[in-house]
Amino acid sequence: MGLMDALFGNGSVPERGAGRGGVYANVTMTVGNTPVVKISEKLAPAGREVYAKCEYFNPLSSVKDRLAVAIIEDAEAKGLLKPGDTVVEATSGNTGIAIAMVCAQRGYKAVIIMAEPFSVERRRLMRMLGAKVIITPKAGKGTGMVRKAEELCAKHGWFLAHQFENEANWKFHEATTGPEILNDFKGKTLTHWVTGYGTGGTYHGAGKAIKAAKPDVKIVLAEPEAAPLLKSGVKTERNPDGSPLDTHPAFTSHPIQGWTPDFIPKVLEDAPPLHDELFMVPGAEAVKTAKALAANEGILTGISGGGTMYTALEVAKLAPEGSVVLAMLPDTGERYLSTPLFAPIEADMNEAELEIAKSTPSFLLIPGEEPVLQAA
């Protein structure tokens, strides 16, 4: 194996220095075509191959960039948006960031509704992109932020993106995410595809494309152990527009931000039966696996990515030898600085770091001591 094969895997991806062969008209054109990366034997079980589709390579670092482009371009094509209009969405953060990006590029205003528990860095990112961010009480859960978004649109005549109900969401994944996976595994084995769900767009659209082309691929859908909405078998009661009427009885709070709101999204419920297995993910394992990906693979993904990869690794352990498992990593770990993912990680130097610092005499910053520049 040559150096380039070792670096780039199979020789079918562009080498460094090749560029992209052209320039983009605007940032929204860079959405999609995210890379698939092999997980090493440090984490993958022997005799099986595990891969990650790294959606944090999208311009605003999450899979929701696809959704935002899909919904806004669909609304433009239908004449539902005109210059200067306001786009509204209820979100755990990534969709809001993506919508704020597209609105900034297109010249729309963005108002994002976000429930209190979600990470504060997401609020700041949306505001940096020019969006107004409205925070709703924790007790209202996901349905509360949806109600607030509906109220604001009814009051002001704004456009509601309806990410949980909008068909443009899953259709974009059917046209992009699914074909990307199929093209990247063209001529190669793929036995399992693993995803969680937030709106259900990735599962519905990419899953449909994968099953149509490779019906033998087993689809594994992951769900938080603390919020087994699909496992319960109880459907979400809906308003006439498809939005949830109330909180699902099986929902309890969980740490996997972006996964499984307190209702079953209509985009997910409308999907044909695509998955071969429903897998329950403990929150602590999702956090642990995200940390393991960072420490062992250099892959910085969020808690949802940790949950998907935990599922993929567990599936691989039980799959026949030679199995090839692909997991979706929805976003970057940088979205989680104020969450349990980073809670044990201190900003200040720990004891091991202080020992390294003190191993040479100059430029020391030791707690409780005067700073040292040049040693005497």
Side-chain angles (χ1 to χ4, degrees):
M1 177 184 290
L3 174 60
M4 288 303 168
D5 286 334
L7 286 173
F8 299 103
N10 55 28
S12 63
V13 295
E15 294 184 359
R16 290 178 185 142
R20 293 185 178 251
V23 296
Y24 295 95
N26 63 69
V27 71
T28 69
M29 302 300 293
T30 68
V31 171
N33 289 324
T34 54
V36 170
V37 176
K38 188 175 184 179
I39 303 301
S40 76
E41 66 277 2
K42 287 181 281 185
L43 294 182
R48 287 85 178 159
E49 293 183 10
V50 178
Y51 292 85
K53 185 164 173 64
C54 301
E55 286 296 295
Y56 56 80
F57 275 77
N58 281 304
L60 264 292
S61 305
S62 92
V63 67
K64 299 300 185 181
D65 291 0
R66 297 178 188 263
L67 179 157
V69 168
I71 289 176
I72 289 178
E73 288 186 351
D74 180 70
E76 289 171 337
K78 292 175 178 175
L80 301 176
L81 281 174
K82 62 183 184 299
D85 278 356
T86 298
V87 179
V88 180
E89 187 55 288
T91 168
S92 64
N94 280 333
T95 297
I97 292 165
I99 285 176
M101 168 192 70
V102 180
C103 286
Q105 190 279 318
R106 292 287 210 277
Y108 303 123
K109 299 168 188 173
V111 175
I112 305 302
I113 319 303
M114 192 171 170
E116 189 180 6
F118 299 120
S119 64
V120 295
E121 50 269 30
R122 300 181 186 208
R123 304 177 195 177
R124 290 173 172 159
L125 285 166
M126 288 183 275
R127 288 171 176 143
M128 180 74 173
L129 291 159
K132 298 288 187 288
V133 182
I134 311 304
I135 310 302
T136 58
K138 177 181 180 180
K141 304 174 189 172
T143 50
M145 64 185 189
V146 170
R147 291 288 90 79
K148 185 66 174 179
E150 291 169 346
E151 284 180 1
L152 288 169
C153 288
K155 169 79 172 177
H156 300 288
W158 293 338
F159 173 77
L160 182 58
H162 273 297
Q163 63 167 322
F164 299 106
E165 297 85 38
N166 198 322
E167 288 189 347
N169 175 353
W170 68 261
K171 287 181 177 179
F172 194 84
H173 284 286
E174 185 180 30
T176 64
T177 316
E180 288 170 27
I181 291 167
L182 294 168
N183 285 331
D184 288 346
F185 282 90
K186 191 173 183 179
K188 305 178 185 68
T189 300
L190 178 63
T191 60
H192 297 76
W193 179 62
V194 180
T195 185
Y197 71 91
T199 66
T202 303
Y203 164 77
H204 185 159
K208 190 177 281 186
I210 291 167
K211 277 291 190 183
K214 291 179 175 283
D216 292 337
V217 172
K218 290 181 170 58
I219 294 180
V220 182
L221 182 59
E223 185 173 58
E225 189 176 68
L229 277 61
L230 294 177
K231 186 180 180 182
S232 74
V234 178
K235 290 192 173 184
T236 286
E237 294 185 40
R238 304 195 181 280
N239 294 306
D241 65 355
S243 63
L245 186 63
D246 206 348
T247 293
H248 194 283
F251 180 84
T252 61
S253 61
H254 61 85
I256 311 177
Q257 291 191 23
W259 267 18
T260 312
D262 65 317
F263 54 89
I264 298 172
K266 191 172 188 297
V267 167
L268 177 65
E269 194 172 87
D270 285 349
L274 296 167
H275 59 279
D276 301 275
E277 181 180 354
L278 183 63
F279 192 96
M280 299 292 107
V281 178
E285 294 295 338
V287 171
K288 181 179 175 182
T289 307
K291 291 179 178 178
L293 281 169
N296 293 282
E297 304 291 330
I299 291 175
L300 186 63
T301 189
I303 302 174
S304 53
T308 316
M309 184 54 68
Y310 169 75
T311 304
L313 294 172
E314 292 301 304
V315 166
K317 289 174 187 175
L318 299 175
E321 189 166 347
S323 293
V324 178
V325 183
L326 172 64
M328 301 296 295
L329 302 188
D331 67 358
T332 172
E334 291 183 349
R335 295 279 151 87
Y336 299 81
L337 296 174
S338 63
T339 75
L341 184 60
F342 280 82
I345 300 173
E346 298 292 339
D348 296 326
M349 287 187 285
N350 60 30
E351 288 301 319
E353 291 163 341
L354 286 169
E355 285 303 312
I356 295 171
K358 288 188 286 189
S359 68
T360 61
S362 300
F363 300 100
L364 297 174
L365 189 62
I366 309 301
E369 299 180 14
E370 285 294 315
V372 175
L373 297 179
Q374 295 292 343

